[in-house]
Amino acid sequence: DAGVIQSPRHEVTEMGQEVTLRCKPISGHNSLFWYRQTMMRGLELLIYFNNNVPIDDSGMPEDRFSAKMPNASFSTLKIQPSEPRDSAVYFCASSRPGTDGYTFGSGTRLTVV
Amino acid sequence: AQSVTQPDIHITVSEGASLELRCNYSYGATPYLFWYVQSPGQGLQLLLKYFSGDTLVQGIKGFEAEFKRSQSSFNLRKPSVHWSDAAEYFCAVGTFQKLVFGTGTRLLVSP
């Protein structure tokens, strides 16, 4: 079991550029979550999917953020255009009912300059 | 609305001393409760969880937590802290479909 795989680990981009973060959940997990972690706001749930369908995107900060899950093994979080205040660590997590809670990826540290 | 409070932002403990990290929650029913640990530059690792049954749960790395319904608390404990336990600890409450995390407690371990 390779765990939840996120890429890239680090991303530095200029303001206004499009950023795409990627996540591969654990095989067999049917729920996927995107979190953002900052010093000021802690861990915030951005969106989660169940069986590839977005269930709750109320945490997505604004229309510049979008997330997709085209199949059970892949999800993306896109920011277009990026802004310096989007700088944070973005975590992906996956789970399945009745087991051990969420399994988190190692995160993507995004810096927008 | 569900919420989690971790009242201690930082805690410093001497190596070998006991540890208790506090967590209080607000939830409409008996929730699922979790403790996660995050080392610098890493993701969150599950320490332990409570779903139902015995209110004292054992986790990895020698940690345990006790669910107290009357106090809406789920405090994390360890009898003897090791230097490698220095990290940030997060309490979380909710369901498998939506977890709310506390703001975390940073544990520092002094020699």
Side-chain angles (χ1 to χ4, degrees), chain B residues 24-104:
Chain B
N24 292 94
Y25 67 90
S26 174
Y27 197 75
T30 300
Y32 298 151
L33 296 157
F34 303 84
W35 275 98
Y36 283 84
V37 60
Q38 184 181 29
S39 298
Q42 301 297 313
L44 281 74
Q45 180 184 20
L46 180 67
L47 278 177
L48 48 78
K49 60 190 183 293
Y50 172 79
F51 299 150
S52 64
D54 191 348
T55 57
L56 183 64
V57 294
Q58 303 296 321
I60 62 172
K61 304 184 180 185
F63 286 91
E64 67 179 26
E66 186 171 12
F67 170 58
K68 293 185 177 180
R69 184 190 306 273
S70 61
Q71 299 177 18
S72 297
S73 69
F74 189 57
N75 294 348
L76 181 71
R77 301 193 295 248
K78 186 170 185 178
S80 177
V81 169
H82 188 261
W83 64 266
S84 60
D85 294 324
E88 188 146 20
Y89 293 79
F90 293 90
C91 181
V93 60
T95 68
F96 289 112
Q97 293 182 320
K98 192 164 187 178
L99 275 186
V100 174
F101 284 83
T103 51

Side-chain angles (χ1 to χ4, degrees), chain A residues 5-21:
Chain A
I5 300 172
Q6 291 187 246
S7 63
R9 286 298 307 274
H10 302 274
E11 176 80 39
V12 180
T13 191
E14 292 185 346
M15 181 174 61
Q17 295 298 306
E18 177 180 296
V19 175
T20 299
L21 311 182

